């Protein structure tokens, strides 16, 4: 059966087409053109073995003699190819082989070394072929090997052809496939993160191990996957972190036998804490890279704001405070808002992080030599202090001392009466209570009143230490800059970036400042306010010197400190009035802050009730001059201040009288000195407010009305009422950003009848015009103009003629023939 099936399966080879001579074959031009253009596709034709095809399709059976002749021809070709590489073996050593022709054939050996395994195998094969002693099994093995080698060559050959014949389309397809695979992997990882997060949020204790998988996914090379992983892990931690700090069990506690629930909670807490630690370490590393800086900082700030009671909060706080003065605006705002929330919400952490944050900021200010962004110090404004911290501490100390004395007396009396048993029992109960109280504090983080006051005192001392360091550094920098004439370059955030927030903080927290330090503070402020904005030697603007706004802030802080400690201080503020009087001339609207100027006018002039008449008159005169030079907002605030000063001081209203001129109350100084640096030596009572007359014609109606009301004040009556508008409100209402007004139309509207009557009367009164006389006058005027034009034309022609004559003379002089004649 097997032989019959094999016979049925054999298929005879196809017959070859009939031979056609090449002369009869016709090729078209299109065929030739196609072959020339696509020569690469016709390479396989050159490699076709036509002889083998002919032999396969000839259907002629081969005899044994034909096969033997083919093998002999192959051997001869191999021997000719080897050439001199072969040597004949001695006939004595080896028996010869006799062929059908009757010739003896001796075996040969190659000269080259045959140590390799492959060479020995080939030699053995040659020996078998030469001896013609192959068995059937050996022949079958040889045929199988030859078939395998042929198949390998056929497989390798087309792959090489494909690699050689690669087109740009294949490259594009490969790129598209790579992109599609990358998108698929991104979607898969994204979905995996979502699944793991939902599992953790649904049952965190059972699926706590999936945190490790989420952290592993966030270690991917793709930046988008890393950012998604960090944010997803952040959302999970915000939800599953408990409301208490985790304490890992000690070795003794681990040795103790506990229930399954306790083991489960311990495993959950330890796994959560390890994953949280690994997450924080990764955030700290990624924070230093520019690609992940914003995302890592957002995660750190969110964790510190959401769970400030949890473990590793100190590390979070250090990393956030480090970036509080970052040049990146997004990072800086995130860190500052987080610190502000910590200061305002002390119930979450009990006030401990407030003390640590203030100390870290103070150390950073010290290490950076006060060259930080102003936002790093502005966060102190969010701190809340209890009133009268020092007084409460003293009262509590006295009460505690009294209670301790009473307790000691009672204990001494009871020691005699009580037994030793009662003593031991009481001591044991006290120890248990102390342990319970300590555990309760460790869990709730709610400090006692005494501990809270201690923390507030430490915070306040660190804040004022930072403020005084900034003032001292500013004074030293100003002193160095005045000594050196050359201008120095400011820092990255300005020459004095921390001075303005420092002064604002001093103005807010002066009530908590000790009286012993207020004298030093006033001296610092006086020196800073008196620093000039232009150096005297070089007369060039120096970048390290204070601006007008900063000097005005120093004056404001001095007055606020004086008012907050009015009962305890007796300080002369005359120097600050002198500085304000001089700074009015140095003010520039685009460069300096008008809000600070308006606030200084309100606090230093309008709110101060005890003022000298000479000083008040000097400020009134200078403010009126100031109102002429600047915009509407500055002018309005100055006029409001002038009105307030004149309402308070009746004698200064003599400046409004043109006849008297203030001479009757001028005092020792009979002449006004506008360039005097001291207002008491200016002699302003000897002059007149002529600036109000000009301000009544101002283009802004509000300023003109204000000037007219001030100039119309009555000098005899004592007007005690004051204007409700402050300089700050006036500046805010009439600033350029909010300035919008329509000038009043003062022309009266007449009725149609009146207009007609007036028009009729005017037409009646107009005399008749003699047209002849008018024409004569016009002709005369036009002839004059024509003559002028003609005269100019004649002059231009004469100039041209003169130039031509001069050029002709020059040419003659240069001619050599003319020189020989002369």
């Amino acid at each position: 059966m097997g032989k019959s099936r094999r016979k049925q399966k054999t298929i005879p080879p196809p017959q070859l087409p009939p031979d056609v001579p090449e002369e009869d074959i016709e090729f078209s031009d299109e065929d030739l053109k196609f072959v020339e253009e696509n020569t690469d596709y016709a390479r396989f034709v050159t490699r076709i073995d036509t002889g083998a095809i002919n032999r396969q399709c000839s259907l002629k059976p081969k005899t044994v003699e034909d096969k033997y002749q083919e093998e002999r021809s192959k051997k001869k070709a191999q021997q000719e190819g080897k050439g001199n590489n072969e040597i004949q073996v001695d006939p004595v050593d080896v028996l010869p082989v006799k062929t059908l022709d009757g010739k003896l054939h001796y075996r040969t050996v190659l000269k080259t070394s045959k140590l390799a395994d492959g060479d020995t195998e080939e030699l053995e094969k040659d020996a078998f072929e030469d001896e013609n002693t192959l068995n059937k099994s050996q022949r079958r093995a040889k045929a199988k090997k030859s078939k395998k080698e042929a198949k390998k060559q056929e497989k390798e050959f087309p792959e090489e052809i494909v690699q050689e014949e690669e087109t740009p389309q294949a490259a594009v397809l490969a790129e598209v496939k790579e992109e599609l695979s990358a998108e698929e992997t991104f979607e898969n990882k994204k979905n995996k993160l979502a699944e793991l997060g939902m599992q953790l949020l649904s049952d965190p204790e059972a699926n706590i191990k999936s945190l490790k998988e989420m952290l592993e996914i966030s270690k991917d090379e793709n930046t988008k996957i890393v950012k998604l992983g960090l944010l997803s892990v952040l959302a999970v931690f915000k939800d599953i972190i408990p409301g208490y700090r985790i304490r890992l069990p000690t070795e003794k506690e681990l040795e103790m036998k506990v229930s399954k629930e306790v083991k489960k909670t311990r495993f959950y807490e330890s796994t959560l804490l390890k994953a949280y630690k690994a997450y924080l370490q990764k955030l700290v590393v990624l924070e230093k890279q520019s690609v992940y800086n914003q995302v890592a900082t957002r995660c750190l700030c969110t964790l510190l704001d959401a769970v400030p009671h949890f473990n590793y909060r100190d590390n979070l706080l250090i990393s956030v405070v480090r970036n509080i003065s970052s040049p990146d605006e997004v990072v800086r705002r995130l860190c500052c808002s987080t610190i502000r929330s910590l200061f305002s919400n002390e119930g979450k952490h009990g006030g401990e992080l407030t003390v640590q944050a203030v100390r870290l900021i103070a150390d950073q200010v010290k290490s950076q030599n006060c060259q930080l962004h102003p936002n790093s110090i502005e966060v102190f404004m969010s701190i809340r202090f209890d009133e009268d911290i020092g007084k409460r501490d003293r009262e509590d100390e006295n009460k505690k001392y009294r209670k301790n004395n009473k307790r000691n007396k009672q204990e001494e009396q009871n020691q005699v009466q009580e037994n030793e048993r009662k003593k031991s029992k009481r001591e044991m109960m006290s120890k248990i209570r102390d342990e319970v109280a300590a555990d309760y504090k460790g869990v709730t983080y709610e400090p006692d009143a005494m501990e809270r006051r201690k923390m507030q005192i430490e915070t306040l001392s660190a804040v004022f230490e930072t403020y005084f360091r900034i003032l001292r550094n500013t004074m030293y920098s100003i002193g160095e800059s005045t000594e050196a004439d050359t201008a120095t370059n400011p820092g990255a955030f300005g020459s004095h970036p921390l001075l303005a927030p420092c002064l604002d903080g001093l103005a807010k927290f002066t009530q908590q400042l000790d009286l012993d330090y207020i004298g030093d503070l006033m001296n610092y402020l006086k020196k800073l306010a008196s620093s000039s904005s232009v150096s005297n030697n070089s007369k060039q603007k120096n970048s390290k010197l204070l601006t007008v706004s900063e000097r005005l802030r120093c004056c404001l802080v001095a007055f606020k400190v004086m008012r907050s400690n009015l009962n305890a201080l007796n300080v002369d503020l005359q120097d600050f009035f002198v500085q304000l009087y001089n700074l009015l001339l140095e003010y520039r609207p685009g460069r300096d802050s008008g809000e600070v100027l308006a606030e200084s006018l309100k606090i230093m002039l309008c709110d101060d009730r005890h003022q000298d008449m000479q000083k008040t008159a000097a400020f009134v005169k200078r403010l009126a001059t100031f109102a002429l030079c600047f915009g509407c907002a500055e002018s309005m605030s100055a006029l409001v201040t002038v009105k307030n000063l004149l309402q308070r001081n009746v004698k200064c209203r003599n400046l409004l009288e043109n006849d008297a001129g203030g001479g009757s109350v001028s005092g020792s100084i009979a002449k006004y000195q506008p360039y005097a640096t001291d207002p008491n030596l200016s002699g302003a009572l000897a002059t007149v407010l002529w600036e109000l007359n000009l301000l009544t014609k101002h283009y802004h109606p509000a300023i003109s009305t204000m000037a007219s009301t001030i100039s119309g004040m009555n000098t005899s009556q004592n007007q005690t009422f004051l204007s409700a508008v402050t300089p700050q409100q006036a500046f805010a209402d009439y600033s350029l950003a909010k300035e919008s007004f329509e000038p009043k139309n003062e022309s009266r509207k007449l009725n149609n009848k009146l207009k007609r009557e007036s028009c009729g009367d005017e037409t009646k009164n107009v005399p008749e015009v003699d047209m002849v006389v008018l024409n004569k006058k016009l002709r005369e005027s036009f002839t004059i103009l024509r003559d002028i034009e003609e005269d100019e034309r004649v002059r231009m022609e004469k100039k041209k003629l003169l130039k031509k004559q001069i050029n002709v003379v020059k040419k003659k002089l240069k001619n050599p023939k003319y020189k020989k004649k002369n």
Side-chain angles (χ1 to χ4, degrees):
M1 292 295 290
K3 292 182 180 180
S4 62
R5 286 178 183 176
R6 287 179 185 174
K7 288 180 181 179
Q8 289 176 2
K9 287 182 180 179
T10 56
I11 298 170
Q15 295 181 358
L16 293 172
D19 295 332
V20 180
E22 295 181 357
E23 297 176 356
D24 297 337
I25 298 171
E26 295 180 359
F27 299 98
S28 63
D29 297 333
E30 294 179 356
D31 295 335
L32 293 172
K33 187 178 179 180
F34 179 79
V35 172
E36 290 175 358
E37 290 177 355
N38 301 298
T39 56
D40 296 332
Y41 294 100
R43 288 180 182 176
F44 71 97
V45 179
T46 59
R47 295 170 183 153
I48 294 174
D49 191 2
T50 57
I53 294 170
N54 292 328
R55 276 188 256 106
Q56 185 70 21
C57 298
S58 61
L59 297 175
K60 291 180 181 180
K62 291 183 180 181
T63 60
V64 178
E65 295 178 356
D66 295 334
K67 293 180 179 180
Y68 188 76
Q69 290 295 331
E70 287 179 2
E71 291 178 357
R72 284 187 64 191
S73 62
K74 288 181 182 179
K75 289 178 181 179
K76 286 181 180 179
Q78 290 178 1
Q79 289 175 2
E80 290 175 359
K82 290 177 182 178
N84 297 324
N85 292 330
E86 296 177 351
I87 58 172
Q88 190 173 5
V89 182
D90 191 2
V92 178
D93 298 331
V94 181
L95 294 173
V97 178
K98 189 175 183 180
T99 61
L100 296 173
D101 298 333
K103 295 181 181 180
L104 295 175
H105 177 69
Y106 291 93
R107 190 172 56 183
T108 58
V109 182
L110 294 173
K111 289 182 180 179
T112 56
S113 63
K114 300 179 180 56
L115 298 173
D117 296 335
D119 296 339
T120 55
E121 290 177 359
E122 290 178 358
L123 288 172
E124 290 175 359
K125 290 178 183 177
D126 293 338
F128 281 119
E129 289 176 358
D130 293 338
E131 293 173 357
N132 198 7
T133 57
L134 293 174
N135 299 327
K136 290 182 179 181
S137 61
Q138 292 175 354
R139 288 174 185 174
R140 288 176 184 174
K142 186 177 181 181
K144 287 181 181 180
K145 288 182 180 180
S146 61
K147 288 180 181 179
K148 288 181 181 179
E149 290 177 358
K151 288 180 180 180
K152 288 181 181 179
Q153 290 178 359
E154 288 177 359
K155 290 180 180 179
E156 293 175 357
F157 185 71
E159 288 179 358
E160 293 177 356
I161 294 170
V162 170
Q163 290 178 359
E164 290 177 357
E165 296 179 358
E166 278 187 352
T167 58
Q169 295 178 356
V172 173
L173 289 171
E175 290 179 358
V176 172
K177 288 180 180 178
E178 288 179 358
E179 290 178 358
L180 291 173
S181 62
E183 290 179 359
E184 289 178 358
T185 54
F186 177 74
E187 290 294 330
N188 293 330
K189 290 181 180 179
K190 187 177 177 181
N191 296 328
K192 185 67 175 177
L193 284 171
E195 291 176 1
L196 294 173
M198 293 298 292
Q199 290 176 4
L200 278 166
L201 294 177
S202 61
D203 191 1
E205 291 184 359
N207 301 312
I208 192 64
K209 292 182 179 180
S210 56
L211 270 175
K212 294 181 180 179
E213 296 182 13
M214 295 181 74
L215 291 173
E216 289 294 331
I217 293 171
S218 61
K219 294 178 181 179
D220 197 82
E221 295 179 356
N222 192 356
T223 57
K224 294 182 180 179
I225 294 171
V226 174
K227 290 178 181 179
L228 286 173
L230 293 176
L231 293 174
S232 58
V233 175
L234 172 66
V236 170
F237 274 127
K238 281 178 66 178
D239 199 344
I240 67 174
I241 284 177
Y244 56 90
R245 185 182 293 182
I246 294 174
R247 186 184 67 82
L248 295 176
T250 59
E251 294 180 357
K252 292 182 179 179
E253 291 176 351
L254 291 172
E255 292 175 357
M256 296 171 63
K257 292 183 179 180
V258 293
S259 61
K260 292 182 179 179
E261 294 180 356
V262 174
K263 288 182 179 179
K264 189 176 180 181
T265 53
R266 283 181 179 179
F267 176 75
Y268 169 73
E269 289 178 352
S270 62
T271 309
L272 176 64
L273 197 60
K274 289 177 182 178
Y276 187 66
K277 183 179 179 181
Y279 180 64
L280 293 182
Q281 289 175 351
K282 186 173 184 180
L283 289 177
V284 172
V285 173
L286 294 176
E287 181 191 356
K288 299 176 183 178
Q289 301 178 11
S290 60
V291 181
Y292 307 107
N293 188 12
Q294 294 183 1
V295 177
T297 306
R298 186 181 295 278
C299 296
L300 291 170
C301 294
T302 306
L303 286 173
L304 183 61
D305 190 13
V307 287
H309 63 277
F310 198 61
N311 300 62
Y312 306 112
R313 62 179 184 177
D314 297 339
N315 300 324
L316 284 171
L317 184 63
I318 290 168
S319 60
V320 171
V321 172
R322 192 191 305 120
N323 294 322
I324 201 171
S325 184
S326 175
D328 191 356
E329 188 176 0
V330 177
V331 175
R332 187 173 64 250
R333 286 182 178 179
L334 284 171
C335 296
C336 292
S337 62
T338 305
I339 297 298
R340 289 194 188 95
S341 66
L342 287 177
F343 290 161
S344 57
N345 300 320
E346 290 186 350
K348 293 182 179 180
H349 51 84
E352 294 179 359
L353 287 181
T354 303
V355 181
Q356 294 179 7
V358 172
R359 286 176 180 172
L360 289 172
I361 294 170
D363 295 337
Q364 193 171 3
V365 170
K366 183 178 180 181
S367 62
Q368 296 294 328
N369 197 15
C370 301
Q371 292 298 321
L372 297 174
H373 196 272
N375 292 339
S376 59
I377 302 299
E378 287 177 357
V379 296
F380 288 164
M381 303 294 286
S382 302
I383 302 174
R384 297 176 183 177
F385 294 104
D386 295 336
E387 295 180 357
D388 300 332
I389 297 173
K391 292 181 180 179
R392 288 184 180 180
D393 289 336
R394 292 170 186 172
E395 291 176 359
D396 292 334
E397 286 178 359
N398 293 328
K399 289 180 181 179
K400 187 177 180 182
Y401 181 72
R402 292 173 184 174
K403 288 180 181 180
N404 290 330
N405 289 332
K406 289 181 180 179
R407 287 177 183 175
N408 292 328
K409 289 179 181 178
Q410 290 177 0
E411 287 178 357
E412 288 177 357
Q413 293 176 2
N414 293 328
Q415 278 178 1
V416 180
Q417 299 176 359
E418 290 179 351
N419 298 326
E420 293 181 357
R421 183 177 58 81
K422 291 182 179 180
K423 281 184 181 181
S424 60
K425 187 177 181 180
R426 189 177 59 189
E427 288 177 357
M428 184 176 66
M429 292 295 293
S430 63
K431 286 180 181 179
I432 292 170
R433 286 173 183 172
D434 293 337
E435 290 178 358
V436 171
D439 293 337
Y440 179 75
K441 287 180 181 179
V443 174
T444 58
Y445 295 101
E446 291 183 359
D448 297 336
M450 290 294 295
E451 292 180 359
R452 176 175 172 77
R453 287 169 195 165
K454 287 180 181 179
M455 286 190 291
Q456 283 196 345
I457 289 169
E458 292 178 2
T459 305
L460 188 64
S461 63
V463 168
F464 278 112
E465 181 183 355
T466 305
Y467 286 160
F468 277 98
R469 179 175 284 110
I470 293 167
L471 293 176
R472 200 182 304 113
N473 189 6
T474 307
M475 286 180 59
Y476 290 155
S477 64
I478 292 170
E480 292 175 359
S481 63
T482 53
E483 290 176 0
D485 295 335
T486 58
T488 57
N489 295 323
F493 303 108
S495 56
H496 306 290
L498 301 181
L499 182 61
C502 170
L503 294 173
D504 294 338
L506 286 171
K508 183 179 179 181
F509 301 128
T510 48
Q511 294 180 356
Q512 283 80 20
L513 185 61
D514 195 357
L515 297 176
D516 297 335
Y517 299 103
I518 290 177
D520 298 333
L521 177 61
M522 296 298 285
N523 292 328
Y524 285 158
L525 295 174
K526 192 181 295 183
K527 290 178 182 179
L528 292 173
S530 62
S531 63
S532 177
S533 62
V534 178
S535 59
N536 297 324
N537 297 329
S538 61
K539 294 184 179 181
Q540 294 178 355
K541 291 184 179 179
N542 199 323
S543 60
K544 283 191 175 182
L545 296 175
L546 298 183
T547 60
V548 174
S549 301
E550 290 172 347
R551 294 167 67 188
L552 286 172
R553 284 178 185 273
C554 295
C555 299
L556 283 173
V557 172
F559 272 80
K560 289 179 181 179
V561 171
M562 183 68 186
R563 286 186 183 178
S564 61
N565 300 286
L566 188 61
N567 298 325
L569 291 178
N570 187 10
V571 181
D572 187 11
L573 300 174
Q574 181 62 28
D575 295 334
F576 297 101
F577 283 111
V578 172
Q579 295 302 324
L580 177 62
Y581 186 74
N582 294 322
L583 288 172
L584 289 173
L585 297 178
E586 298 180 11
Y587 176 81
R588 297 294 178 271
R591 181 191 65 186
D592 303 320
S593 176
E595 296 176 354
V596 178
L597 177 63
E599 187 180 0
S600 62
L601 292 176
K602 178 184 178 297
I603 293 175
M604 297 177 68
L605 297 178
C606 296
D607 295 345
D608 193 8
R609 298 180 180 179
H610 305 286
Q611 288 186 1
D612 188 17
M613 184 176 62
Q614 188 73 31
K615 182 173 64 177
T616 304
F619 274 104
V620 167
K621 180 66 177 175
R622 181 151 288 186
L623 286 171
T625 308
F626 176 84
L628 285 173
C629 303
F630 299 110
C632 301
E634 289 86 356
S635 300
M636 199 66 190
S637 61
L639 290 176
V640 168
T641 308
V642 169
K643 184 179 178 181
N644 197 335
L645 291 174
L646 290 176
Q647 286 174 350
R648 290 179 182 276
N649 299 279
V650 180
K651 293 183 180 180
C652 292
R653 297 178 195 171
N654 292 324
L655 297 172
L656 303 173
E657 298 292 334
N658 293 330
D659 296 334
S664 60
V665 290
S666 61
S668 59
I669 303 171
K671 186 178 179 181
Y672 176 60
Q673 297 177 2
Y675 297 105
T677 57
D678 193 352
N680 294 320
L681 302 176
S682 63
L685 291 171
T687 185
V688 180
L689 289 176
W690 54 266
E691 294 88 356
L692 296 175
N693 190 12
L694 296 176
L695 290 170
T696 53
K697 301 176 183 179
H698 199 273
Y699 70 92
H700 202 289
I703 294 174
S704 62
T705 53
M706 179 62 75
S708 61
T709 53
I710 293 171
S711 60
M713 268 185 187
N714 191 359
T715 58
S716 60
Q717 297 178 0
N718 187 7
Q719 297 176 355
T720 56
F721 62 89
L722 299 176
S723 61
V725 181
T726 61
Q728 289 175 307
Q729 294 175 358
F731 182 83
D733 294 337
Y734 296 97
S735 60
L736 292 175
K738 300 180 180 179
E739 183 179 2
S740 61
F741 70 94
E742 295 179 359
K744 295 179 181 180
N745 189 7
E746 296 180 356
S747 62
R748 297 179 180 178
K749 296 182 180 179
L750 300 175
N751 295 327
N752 292 328
K753 293 181 180 180
L754 294 173
K755 287 182 179 179
R756 289 172 185 173
E757 291 176 359
S758 62
C759 292
D761 295 336
E762 289 176 357
T763 53
K764 290 177 182 178
N765 295 327
V766 174
E768 294 181 358
V769 179
D770 191 357
M771 297 301 294
V772 178
V773 177
L774 183 62
N775 288 329
K776 285 182 180 180
K777 289 182 178 179
L778 291 173
R779 284 176 185 174
E780 289 176 359
S781 63
F782 279 114
T783 54
I784 292 168
L785 291 172
R786 187 172 64 248
D787 293 341
I788 291 169
E789 291 178 356
E790 288 178 358
D791 291 339
E792 289 180 355
R793 183 173 55 80
V794 171
R795 287 174 185 173
M796 292 299 292
E797 289 178 356
K798 287 181 179 180
K799 285 182 179 179
K800 289 180 181 179
L801 290 172
L802 287 171
K803 284 183 179 179
K804 287 181 180 180
Q805 291 175 2
I806 291 166
N807 290 329
V808 170
V809 173
K810 287 181 178 179
K811 287 180 180 179
K812 287 181 179 181
L813 293 172
K814 291 180 180 179
N815 195 357
K817 294 180 180 179
Y818 181 76
K819 291 180 180 180
K820 290 178 181 179
K821 289 179 182 179
N822 295 330

